[in-house]
Amino acid sequence: MLGMLGFSTAFALPFFLLALFPSRLNKLPKAGTWMNNVKVVLGFLELALALSYLSRTDATWELGLFSRELILAFWVGCSILSMLYILGLFRMKLDSPVQNLGAMRVVWALMFATVSFYLLQGIFGRPVGEFEAFIYSDSTVPAATASIGGSAKSEEEEWTEDYQAALKLAKEKNQPIFIDFTGVTCTNCRKMEKNVFPRPQISELMGKMIKVRLYTDRNRPEDKANERMMQEQYQSAELPLYVILTPDGKAIDQTGYTPDTEKFQNFLKKALQ
């Protein structure tokens, strides 16, 4: 309902304001080539978003058609084409020749060039910040080991998808449990995993816990069970949902999407008091 209200408000607001101040209509920019320029650039952005939504479906069905590198390469291509188009290096059917490059064209071209270089580094493995949340592929969904026993491991290998094994290990080590109810198509989940979890103060606290990652949106029996567990035990259907438990499995507290470092840090500290 909030989403629908947001969309309807965005569409209705300009007409509402122009109805209040009709004289402003005379000051609006006149129709011209610039409108076609905006349409073409938005077309490239729509293509980039379309691939993001297709990759979400691909991740849900676990087809493996879209890799992280492919998605980023497509985005880089759309961004470069937008930059070249704004500079007038190629035209569409309804465009007029670009006689001179105004300041606004140069600014927008530089913005797309910056985005292109920023995304390009992601193809070679570097994180791309907020863009990570809109990339859906097997390579962007954090992996978890089936077992959490053994010797020293990487940060990702410290996670498990085996809730019962986590409970057992928590009792043995007398450590609290951190549960991450997540989904392969959850944008806010990726934002947290890519931009909040790696922060030193957060990573340090989570390193003192047994970490469990439970997916809820794939077409798997275990995901359906995780979803029921989240709804029945914690009365929530939101993703992400984070729950901290005592070593013997008793709930301490829970929270949802919390990008604020201090707030999320204070939440984690409750498990270690």
Side-chain angles (χ1 to χ4, degrees):
M1 289 176 65
L2 288 174
M4 292 165 65
L5 179 63
F7 278 114
S8 61
T9 302
F11 281 112
L13 190 59
F15 298 99
F16 175 73
L17 293 175
L18 289 173
L20 290 179
F21 309 101
S23 61
R24 295 290 180 180
L25 282 167
N26 297 325
K27 297 183 179 181
L28 290 177
K30 302 300 180 183
T33 305
W34 70 272
M35 293 184 68
N36 197 62
N37 295 158
V38 171
K39 180 183 70 175
V40 173
V41 172
L42 288 177
F44 284 123
L45 293 177
E46 284 286 348
L47 287 173
L49 288 171
L51 186 70
S52 176
Y53 280 104
L54 280 174
S55 66
R56 179 185 296 219
T57 304
D58 177 64
T60 303
W61 291 350
E62 301 183 76
L63 300 176
L65 299 176
F66 298 100
S67 66
R68 179 178 185 274
E69 292 74 19
L70 176 63
I71 297 168
L72 285 170
F74 188 83
W75 286 358
V76 169
C78 289
S79 185
I80 290 176
L81 287 173
S82 298
M83 177 192 68
L84 297 177
Y85 176 77
I86 290 170
L87 293 174
L89 296 181
F90 70 91
R91 290 185 293 162
M92 295 297 183
K93 183 178 179 180
L94 301 178
D95 289 333
S96 301
V98 177
Q99 302 296 337
N100 64 301
L101 291 176
M104 286 302 297
R105 279 185 177 270
V106 174
V107 169
W108 279 101
L110 286 174
M111 287 176 58
F112 279 106
T114 302
V115 170
S116 299
F117 283 112
Y118 184 67
L119 293 175
L120 187 62
Q121 68 177 350
I123 298 177
F124 301 99
R126 297 190 63 182
V128 289
E130 293 296 320
F131 289 101
E132 293 283 357
F134 302 95
I135 304 174
Y136 307 97
S137 72
D138 291 340
S139 57
T140 59
V141 174
T145 55
S147 172
I148 44 182
S151 56
K153 298 179 180 182
S154 69
E155 183 178 350
E156 278 304 329
E157 288 178 329
E158 293 175 358
W159 288 86
T160 181
E161 293 180 15
D162 191 333
Y163 176 66
Q164 295 301 325
L167 285 175
K168 182 179 179 182
L169 189 65
K171 290 179 180 180
E172 292 175 358
K173 293 190 172 184
N174 194 33
Q175 289 182 324
I177 301 171
F178 175 84
I179 304 178
D180 173 12
F181 286 102
T182 185
V184 295
T185 63
C186 172
T187 300
N188 285 339
C189 300
R190 296 294 90 76
K191 285 184 179 180
M192 292 291 292
E193 292 159 1
K194 300 293 184 179
N195 300 317
V196 178
F197 288 7
R199 293 171 187 169
Q201 59 270 53
I202 300 299
S203 180
E204 181 183 359
L205 291 172
M206 292 177 66
K208 300 175 182 178
M209 307 180 194
I210 305 300
K211 297 181 291 186
V212 190
R213 181 170 281 135
L214 302 179
Y215 290 94
T216 64
D217 63 347
R218 297 174 299 188
N219 191 26
R220 298 182 182 183
E222 56 266 35
D223 286 38
K224 302 301 180 185
N226 293 337
E227 185 180 22
R228 287 194 300 273
M229 173 183 173
M230 180 176 67
Q231 294 175 354
E232 294 173 3
Q233 292 191 27
Y234 305 109
Q235 290 76 51
S236 177
E238 68 174 318
L239 289 180
L241 177 69
Y242 304 115
V243 182
I244 45 178
L245 309 176
T246 61
D248 57 355
K250 295 180 180 179
I252 300 173
D253 200 2
Q254 64 187 66
T255 189
Y257 175 62
T258 313
D260 184 275
T261 302
E262 186 177 354
K263 288 183 179 178
F264 196 65
Q265 188 176 6
N266 291 335
F267 165 73
L268 294 175
K269 285 180 178 178
K270 295 178 183 179
L272 302 169
Q273 292 174 351

